[in-house]
Amino acid sequence: MTVSLSTEALGNGANSRMPVVFGRSIGRARGMVVAIIVFFGLLLLQAFISPGPISYFDISFLISGATPLALAAFGQTLVILSGGFDLSAGAVISLVNAVLAANMDPADMEASVFVWTLVGIATGMGVGAFNGLFIAIFRLQPIVVTLSTMFIIQGATLLVLDQPGGFVSPSLGTFYMGDAIPELLPSALLLLAALALGWGWLKRTPYGVALYAVGSDRASAAALGVRVPWIRFATYVLAGGLYGMAGVFVSAQTGSGDPTVGNPLLLSIFAAVVIGGTRLGGGKGGPVGTIFGALVLMIIVNILLALNVSAYFSTIAEGIVLICAVLLSSVSRHSVFTEQLKGAAGTIAAWRAGKLVSQREQTDKRLAFVARSDSTIAAPTAWPSFLKRHAETLRYAVPAYVCLVLVLVATQLVLGSVFGNWNYWNSLLVLSAFLAILALGQGSVILTGGLDLSVPWMIGLSGVMLAGVVQGSDAALIYAVPMVLLMAALFGFLNGFGVVVLGLSPILVTLAMNGILQGIALLYSNGTPSGFASAGLRWFMTGHLLGVTPVIYALVLFVAGGVLLLGRTTFGRCVYALGNSVDAARLSGVRTGRVTILVYMLSAVCAGVVGVLLTGFSGQASLGMGDDYLLPSIAVVVVGGALITGGRGHYLGMVGGALLLTALQTLLAGTALPYAFRAIIFGCVVLAAVVALRERTN
């Protein structure tokens, strides 16, 4: 009888705990559950607005279209779960597509699906191992490593396949785009289901448990005996394999190669990860939700098409969806956004009660200082020498100028007519102006510990708008240039607002903004920019005044102003304080939020100025004119001695980095090396600079 009662009691206790355990499981999987609900809700919406019922073909087309994104986002999820970040995913997809298209035999219509799938996965894993080596073993920042890798891979892709074309065997398309069970189970759905089941097993293995531990708290995981470097290394390798699989699937879809096919997927990849409920920073979420996040994005595109909305809105929609998804996933009682709302409410209440510091009677209670003559006062010690006062700055800034001299010597040996040729120096300074201007904005952001990925399309939109408004008129410059710069400042403010007020990651905010700006530029120009630069602007960029191109005079003034801004003003000191420690800066009285917003506004305005100058230099604007300036804008800052995590660097060093990279580019342009080598060398230069100039830890 006693045993029976005890068993019943235990059973009741277990039953009482079941709702608690179930509730906790649902709470942990909240993001995935929300993604699933949103997907089916949007599917019902699509069925409602479609002229006919949704058929098997519609479902198969939806899943097949979303599979490459789901595969790449699956890999990105693993990286983010480990606390990392990977910007090279899209480039790896392009590389695998190019490798397959360039090496498949057009006469072989029944190529081995298994073999070429392994080739694609192995290619991606090789890139992942490269990333993992620098991130896990050398302990470099994932952002700068994967950004450098992205450009290296883009250059390598152009070497493999320099233009769209090539051949992909139809056997891949038949296998991946067909049905596993005719009219019942698409092959793409079977692939995604297999990956989901595989993840269900993998996350229960020691590796899966360690992955979440490393993402949650790397130091604690290491203290418990987890081999953190190897877990991170393996994660990037696995992610690379999934990117490679995505590249194989894209190849099966297209039947040919395109060296840029994966580039537009980067924004969608992060949007799918966030929509699926994975927390940026690591430790929470999972790839199953990411798969549904990819399906959500695909169905949004289908709904826009069904509503006859311009395809140019797609990047705008993806950017907005990404920001909203990140915001919703991060909202909690102690989130930055919630704290901002509480702080604003408290400020309003204090203002109504008249208790703000600015509303109180101001009385100077500082101690008075009385000067007196006293022979016992010691004489002031001598000021330290210039070299001692600026030893750290010179240590990190001078290498850029030393390397510049070496590049100039190499240019003299290879091309000749450098040191005694004013035309070379004039051209070098003109071409360096773009990077030197970007360095002030991007450098200020990096000094605070952030990064601005919206630079490319901020340049593009500014140039397109200027050319469209000016239409060759010098008089129109009077109002067109201020209008463009005010527009840039507004978008910079929105970047800063997202970082400060909404508490979002600078990387994701500026990446989403880059997509939004791209959509706006496409809508404004209707896909074909019109207009051209005025004669005065062209003269400013290509003419001569006393034998010197006029923009060089402006560049000298700009550099002097930048040095004063960061080195001799309160704003500059606050920027450095913010980069060294946000909490310490706040406790010291620095208005960290205001400084951060101003920094992003400065970066956007600098990008706007470059857009204006590029339009004058080329005579007209073009879509994507800023694409080649993302990595160089970061490279000049890093090569100039700035620490990518913030708090260290000098603008003169960044200017040296701009001169160095421009001189290097000029040297490469004068040789027989293909254009693709430029991106490869730039990426390698950034990695080398980060390794050489990183902070040494004892």
Side-chain angles (χ1 to χ4, degrees):
M1 185 68 174
T2 304
V3 174
S4 176
L5 287 174
S6 300
T7 304
E8 182 180 0
L10 288 171
N12 290 336
N15 291 333
S16 66
R17 286 195 299 271
M18 284 180 63
V20 177
V21 174
F22 180 76
R24 289 178 179 175
S25 299
I26 292 295
R28 287 194 296 267
R30 182 182 64 176
M32 181 185 70
V33 172
V34 171
I36 294 173
I37 293 173
V38 170
F39 166 70
F40 284 105
L42 290 175
L43 191 62
L44 290 175
L45 177 60
Q46 183 180 4
F48 177 76
I49 64 177
S50 297
I54 295 181
S55 63
Y56 171 80
F57 173 79
D58 296 325
I59 297 297
S60 177
F61 181 80
L62 171 67
I63 295 173
S64 298
T67 296
L69 174 60
L71 291 170
F74 196 115
Q76 188 72 243
T77 302
L78 297 180
V79 171
I80 291 177
L81 284 175
S82 71
F85 220 78
D86 193 348
L87 295 175
S88 67
V92 175
I93 294 173
S94 299
L95 175 63
V96 171
N97 174 242
V99 168
L100 266 60
N103 291 281
M104 279 191 169
D105 185 0
D108 187 3
M109 305 299 288
E110 296 295 332
S112 172
V113 174
F114 178 74
V115 169
W116 287 106
T117 298
L118 285 182
V119 169
I121 293 175
T123 302
M125 293 180 74
V127 177
F130 181 85
N131 284 331
L133 175 67
F134 284 95
I135 294 170
I137 308 303
F138 292 160
R139 299 183 181 181
L140 302 183
Q141 287 293 316
I143 298 298
V144 70
V145 170
T146 57
L147 184 65
S148 301
T149 303
M150 179 179 76
F151 280 87
I152 293 173
I153 297 304
Q154 286 176 352
T157 303
L158 290 175
L159 293 178
V160 175
L161 188 70
D162 59 352
Q163 59 185 355
F167 171 81
V168 175
S169 175
S171 58
L172 261 70
T174 302
F175 182 83
Y176 286 113
M177 303 298 294
D179 291 341
I181 301 177
E183 297 298 323
L184 184 62
L185 179 63
S187 297
L189 179 59
L190 180 62
L191 174 62
L192 295 179
L195 283 174
L197 291 175
W199 169 249
W201 166 79
L202 183 64
K203 72 177 182 179
R204 290 175 172 81
T205 64
Y207 166 79
V209 175
L211 177 66
Y212 280 95
V214 170
S216 298
D217 191 329
R218 197 178 307 164
S220 298
L224 292 173
V226 176
R227 301 178 67 183
V228 173
W230 290 109
I231 294 297
R232 300 180 75 197
F233 179 83
T235 299
Y236 279 94
V237 173
L238 285 175
L242 287 162
Y243 305 152
M245 187 65 222
V248 172
F249 205 96
V250 167
S251 302
Q253 284 180 324
T254 60
S256 62
D258 184 345
T260 63
V261 68
N263 296 352
L265 289 177
L266 187 59
L267 177 60
S268 303
I269 288 171
F270 286 104
V273 172
V274 175
I275 292 172
T278 298
R279 183 182 65 185
L280 298 176
K284 182 179 179 182
V288 176
T290 296
I291 293 175
F292 282 95
L295 292 170
V296 166
L297 290 175
M298 187 64 188
I299 205 169
I300 288 175
V301 173
N302 290 347
I303 290 174
L304 292 176
L305 292 176
L307 296 175
N308 292 321
V309 177
S310 172
Y312 297 151
F313 278 101
S314 60
T315 58
I316 298 177
E318 288 176 355
I320 294 174
V321 166
L322 175 57
I323 292 175
C324 292
V326 175
L327 181 60
L328 291 175
S329 66
S330 62
V331 169
S332 64
R333 182 182 301 178
H334 302 293
S335 67
V336 174
F337 182 55
T338 304
E339 294 296 331
Q340 291 283 357
L341 291 178
K342 291 179 181 178
T347 301
I348 293 174
W351 173 73
R352 288 179 175 177
K355 295 182 179 180
L356 288 178
V357 175
S358 59
Q359 294 175 305
R360 298 177 182 177
E361 182 180 355
Q362 302 296 319
T363 303
D364 191 354
K365 298 182 179 180
R366 293 175 296 179
L367 294 175
F369 177 78
V370 179
R372 64 191 183 93
S373 176
D374 192 339
S375 59
T376 61
I377 297 178
T381 58
W383 280 89
S385 66
F386 175 86
L387 293 178
K388 288 184 178 180
R389 284 187 284 120
H390 300 280
E392 184 175 1
T393 299
L394 293 173
R395 173 189 172 190
Y396 294 109
V398 167
Y401 289 94
V402 173
C403 292
L404 172 62
V405 172
L406 296 177
V407 171
L408 292 174
V409 171
T411 306
Q412 175 69 33
L413 295 175
V414 175
L415 304 178
S417 300
V418 170
F419 293 104
N421 186 358
W422 168 245
N423 289 331
Y424 172 85
W425 291 100
N426 188 81
S427 299
L428 177 65
L429 292 173
V430 171
L431 295 175
S432 299
F434 307 118
L435 290 179
I437 294 170
L438 289 176
L440 178 62
Q442 185 75 269
S444 298
V445 173
I446 290 176
L447 286 174
T448 63
L451 203 64
D452 188 356
L453 300 183
S454 65
V455 165
W457 279 98
M458 192 69 259
I459 294 174
L461 178 59
S462 299
V464 168
M465 288 190 65
L466 181 84
V469 173
V470 169
Q471 295 290 341
S473 170
D474 283 332
L477 286 175
I478 298 175
Y479 59 86
V481 172
M483 181 189 72
V484 168
L485 298 185
L486 284 174
M487 178 271 299
L490 173 62
F491 285 113
F493 172 82
L494 293 177
N495 277 336
F497 183 87
V499 173
V500 173
V501 178
L502 303 183
L504 305 180
S505 164
I507 307 299
L508 286 185
V509 170
T510 55
L511 180 63
M513 182 59 71
N514 194 56
I516 293 172
L517 293 173
Q518 179 182 358
I520 294 174
L522 290 170
L523 288 171
Y524 177 82
S525 64
N526 198 25
T528 306
S530 62
F532 51 93
S534 66
L537 185 58
R538 290 199 299 271
W539 171 82
F540 183 74
M541 293 303 301
T542 60
H544 288 87
L545 179 63
L546 301 178
V548 179
T549 302
V551 70
I552 295 177
Y553 297 110
L555 177 63
V556 172
L557 295 176
F558 184 89
V559 171
V563 172
L564 292 176
L565 178 67
L566 293 181
R568 291 288 185 269
T569 65
T570 302
F571 170 77
R573 289 190 289 271
C574 291
V575 167
Y576 283 98
L578 205 61
N580 284 299
S581 174
V582 176
D583 292 334
R586 185 182 295 111
L587 292 174
S588 300
V590 176
R591 305 188 69 170
T592 55
R594 176 182 294 183
V595 173
T596 302
I597 291 176
L598 288 175
V599 159
Y600 282 95
M601 291 177 67
L602 175 62
S603 179
V605 169
C606 288
V609 171
V610 170
V612 171
L613 297 182
L614 278 174
T615 303
F617 184 76
S618 61
Q620 59 185 4
S622 62
L623 294 172
M625 62 191 292
D627 288 346
D628 292 335
Y629 285 90
L630 177 57
L631 180 62
S633 72
I634 300 170
V636 296
V637 176
V638 176
V639 172
L643 191 64
I644 194 66
T645 53
R648 189 197 78 194
H650 196 280
Y651 182 52
L652 282 179
M654 301 174 196
V655 173
L659 292 169
L660 169 60
L661 291 188
T662 306
L664 181 61
Q665 181 177 345
T666 303
L667 174 60
L668 294 175
T671 63
L673 290 175
Y675 173 81
F677 275 102
R678 188 179 306 173
I680 296 175
I681 292 176
F682 272 20
C684 292
V685 166
V686 174
L687 281 179
V690 172
V691 172
L693 300 175
R694 62 181 174 175
E695 280 191 325
R696 300 291 190 266
T697 56
N698 295 327

